[in-house]
């Protein structure tokens, strides 16, 4: 299932998108709790990275020598 503002931006990629455009984290937690209480299993979460990370490894390390 796909919900949220991102799904609404790309209806051709997510034709089965449903639910409110903006979902509160508490509402998602309540939905998960209801499903678990009903004996249903939850799917494993899978991250979807839409851009490269901001953090980068420095290109030139500074040499530190004891004096």
């Amino acid at each position: 299932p796909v919900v949220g503002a991102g799904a609404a931006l790309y209806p051709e990629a997510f034709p089965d998108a449903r639910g409110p455009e903006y979902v509160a984290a508490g509402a998602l937690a309540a939905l998960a709790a209801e499903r678990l209480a009903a004996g249903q299993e939850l799917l494993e979460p899978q991250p979807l990275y839409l851009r490269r990370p901001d953090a980068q490894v420095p290109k030139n390390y500074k040499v530190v020598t004891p004096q």
Side-chain angles (χ1 to χ4, degrees):
V2 180
V3 296
L9 290 174
Y10 303 99
E12 66 282 350
F14 304 108
D16 62 338
R18 58 183 182 269
E21 194 168 322
Y22 296 98
V23 182
L28 292 175
L31 175 62
E34 287 175 20
R35 288 189 176 183
L36 288 173
Q40 298 175 348
E41 290 187 26
L42 299 178
L43 298 175
E44 284 291 318
Q46 296 181 353
L48 176 62
Y49 299 103
L50 302 177
R51 64 184 182 106
R52 293 186 186 145
D54 293 331
Q56 297 179 0
V57 176
K59 295 186 185 340
N60 297 320
Y61 287 98
K62 194 175 191 180
V63 178
V64 178
T65 55
Q67 293 184 12

